[in-house]
Amino acid sequence: MATSWDAVIIGAGVNGCAIAYNLAKRGLRVVILDKTDVCAQASGQNGGGVRQSARDPRELPLAMLSVSLFSSLAEELDQDVEYVQAGNLRLCTTSEQETAMRAAVAQQRVDFGLDVRYVDRGELEALNQHLAEWVVGASYCPTDGHANPLLTTYAFARKACELGAELRTGETVTRIRLSRGTVRSVVTDREVYSTGLVINAAGIGGRAVANMVGLDFPMTPVFTEVLVTEAREPMFAQMIGTASSDFYGHQTTHGSFVWGGFVGYETFLHDGHHGGTQRPNYPEVASAICRTVLRYFPGLGELNVIRTWGGLIAQVADKVPVLGPVPEVPGYISATGFSGHGFGIAPAVGRVIGQAVLGETPDVDLSPFTADRFGPVH
Ligand SMILES: Cc1cc2nc3c(=O)[nH]c(=O)nc-3n(C[C@H](O)[C@H](O)[C@H](O)COP(=O)(O)OP(=O)(O)OC[C@H]3O[C@@H](n4cnc5c(N)ncnc54)[C@H](O)[C@@H]3O)c2cc1C
């Protein structure tokens, strides 16, 4: 006879584990299933940015909730997750960028009350003494920051398990069975899990999982890369981005710099020339990211790169997730499609999906994230 579970979570990335933690904390019998392992995909590959600034307005309330939860996460999960709340600087190099950035921060301040402002070159120099002369100013959000994604994900997983959740790795979900349109069980390559509630937190596998219940939405994997340098004495603690979005990153608490970015090459490589989605990363891309970083931080030229890696972003057509219950399929909840910025909002995702499961009003309105925003779901 199949074991019965209150909830089956597909995917042991940061979002699946954060959801499991929130459900286990509320007394639900939960199992997390992953075809590989904890942190096997995007949650083990990302740049660690915890950012509210420059978020899509639909996602900003989630990002603001998440920042408030990150402040006490170490205490809550009994694990230092290397959370540093030292602000985010989004650097501008032209007067056109400055004009657009001033307008963007004004809107985020007025519409959402976010503590963000434009800082000109003089104030910027007081915040960060290492910038090249061509940087004219930046947006500055003092409550943004960064954290260690592996420590955070494992901390959620460990705490969920301490609270009674089960984690089963190396097990692939192949089917979700419905009865009269309602979730009844989850089938893997090993076992059948009887449940009335399945949560799709499968990252880039999320579209295939949605297809198992007859849903579809436009989501594609997009390849992106990260590099880490050798350690250096502390230089600056802010998370860095640019108005041109040509790179992002920060100096970790260990002294290494983690820099990530696209150079435009990856999409071309992704489109079939090198064997689909299972490619390694490419040395040309790391070199290009380094050249860009040095245009903004010329003093880092002596640092050696010690490791590079790539990962796939679960990119939805409008770049915000598909999040929440789907009324057409009772018992199915979506938590996928985080489109390259789903680490920073994971604590909030865990909280609001937990609230939705328990029939409470989520702290953040989930209506902008419905599966049917692209058209009928079936
Ligand atoms: C290089 C890179 C840099 C990034 N930088 C940042 C950043 O700085 N800040 C930020 O906020 N975000 C960043 N992101 C995005 C962030 O990493 C993701 O949005 C987030 O980790 C998604 O977490 P997740 O739990 O939803 O999915 P994932 O971590 O991808 O986990 C999904 C899991 O589901 C499992 N799975 C899939 N299908 C099945 C199946 N059928 N059966 C069983 N298991 C299955 C997979 O094995 C996987 O472990 C970055 C992403 C990349 C790739």
Side-chain angles (χ1 to χ4, degrees):
M1 208 183 81
T3 325
S4 191
W5 300 85
D6 292 330
V8 172
I9 297 169
I10 308 172
V14 68
N15 286 292
C17 294
I19 294 166
Y21 163 67
N22 277 274
L23 295 183
K25 193 167 71 169
R26 303 293 294 272
L28 269 65
R29 184 150 190 264
V30 178
V31 60
I32 318 168
L33 304 174
D34 199 288
K35 65 179 178 184
T36 317
D37 209 339
V38 179
C39 282
Q41 293 190 340
S43 300
Q45 299 157 341
N46 73 77
V50 179
R51 170 176 61 80
Q52 306 153 105
S53 42
R55 284 267 177 189
D56 185 296
R58 289 168 293 175
E59 217 179 38
L60 186 53
L62 270 179
M64 292 173 77
L65 172 62
S66 211
V67 162
S68 74
L69 297 173
F70 256 109
S71 311
S72 56
L73 206 58
E75 204 180 326
E76 192 169 346
L77 301 179
D78 297 322
Q79 167 72 55
D80 175 10
V81 296
E82 297 179 357
Y83 177 53
V84 176
Q85 194 176 33
N88 182 299
L89 292 171
R90 207 163 181 86
L91 309 173
C92 297
T93 56
T94 64
S95 54
E96 290 78 20
Q97 287 179 353
E98 174 181 342
T99 306
M101 194 66 86
R102 282 186 187 279
V105 299
Q107 192 176 11
Q108 289 194 312
R109 255 200 331 266
V110 172
D111 291 351
F112 296 95
L114 181 66
D115 179 10
V116 62
R117 64 183 195 278
Y118 186 83
V119 290
D120 60 18
R121 176 77 203 191
E123 196 179 346
L124 183 56
E125 274 177 24
L127 292 165
N128 190 314
Q129 295 81 50
H130 305 280
L131 286 161
E133 279 180 11
W134 73 313
V135 179
V136 295
S139 69
Y140 176 51
C141 177
T143 53
D144 278 348
H146 47 85
N148 183 317
L150 288 107
L151 289 175
T152 306
T153 308
Y154 277 102
F156 272 124
R158 195 178 308 116
K159 204 62 176 175
C161 292
E162 278 174 26
L163 292 166
E166 276 198 41
L167 170 66
R168 300 192 182 175
T169 57
E171 195 165 342
T172 303
V173 173
T174 56
R175 200 174 154 198
I176 299 170
R177 283 191 190 138
L178 308 180
S179 165
R180 297 184 187 185
T182 300
V183 170
R184 286 285 174 257
S185 62
V186 174
V187 183
T188 73
D189 50 359
R190 286 203 216 144
E191 205 171 318
V192 175
Y193 295 82
S194 172
T195 187
L197 185 67
V198 61
I199 296 161
N200 176 1
I204 57 160
R207 187 171 186 175
V209 170
N211 290 171
M212 292 177 195
V213 295
L215 302 177
D216 199 24
F217 50 89
M219 183 172 92
T220 48
V222 172
F223 192 61
T224 178
E225 301 201 24
V226 183
L227 61 90
V228 62
T229 72
E230 60 191 344
R232 190 161 179 174
E233 72 284 355
M235 289 174 68
F236 52 87
Q238 302 102 7
M239 187 78 193
I240 305 292
T242 69
S244 321
S245 298
D246 41 10
F247 76 97
Y248 64 90
H250 66 278
Q251 186 173 25
T252 68
T253 55
H254 312 282
S256 298
F257 287 87
V258 175
W259 299 120
F262 296 92
V263 294
Y265 194 33
E266 302 86 342
T267 307
F268 171 71
L269 293 169
H270 172 71
D271 286 342
H273 291 269
H274 291 261
T277 58
Q278 299 302 317
R279 288 183 330 273
N281 59 327
Y282 292 88
E284 298 90 332
V285 175
S287 310
I289 293 172
C290 286
R291 278 196 298 277
T292 310
V293 170
L294 293 183
R295 291 177 67 215
Y296 289 82
F297 293 101
L300 299 181
E302 299 304 313
L303 276 179
N304 289 306
V305 172
I306 56 171
R307 194 160 69 87
T308 71
W309 65 89
L312 290 165
I313 287 170
Q315 185 137 301
V316 178
D318 63 355
K319 297 188 181 163
V320 295
V322 177
L323 197 60
V326 177
E328 292 83 350
V329 188
Y332 170 84
I333 292 189
S334 180
T336 187
F338 291 99
S339 305
H341 28 84
F343 167 66
I345 57 174
V349 168
R351 163 81 70 106
V352 297
I353 292 297
Q355 291 168 328
V357 164
L358 289 153
E360 298 166 1
T361 304
D363 287 348
V364 170
D365 174 24
L366 296 179
S367 61
F369 307 110
T370 56
D372 63 2
R373 67 184 189 264
F374 302 104
V377 291
H378 272 286

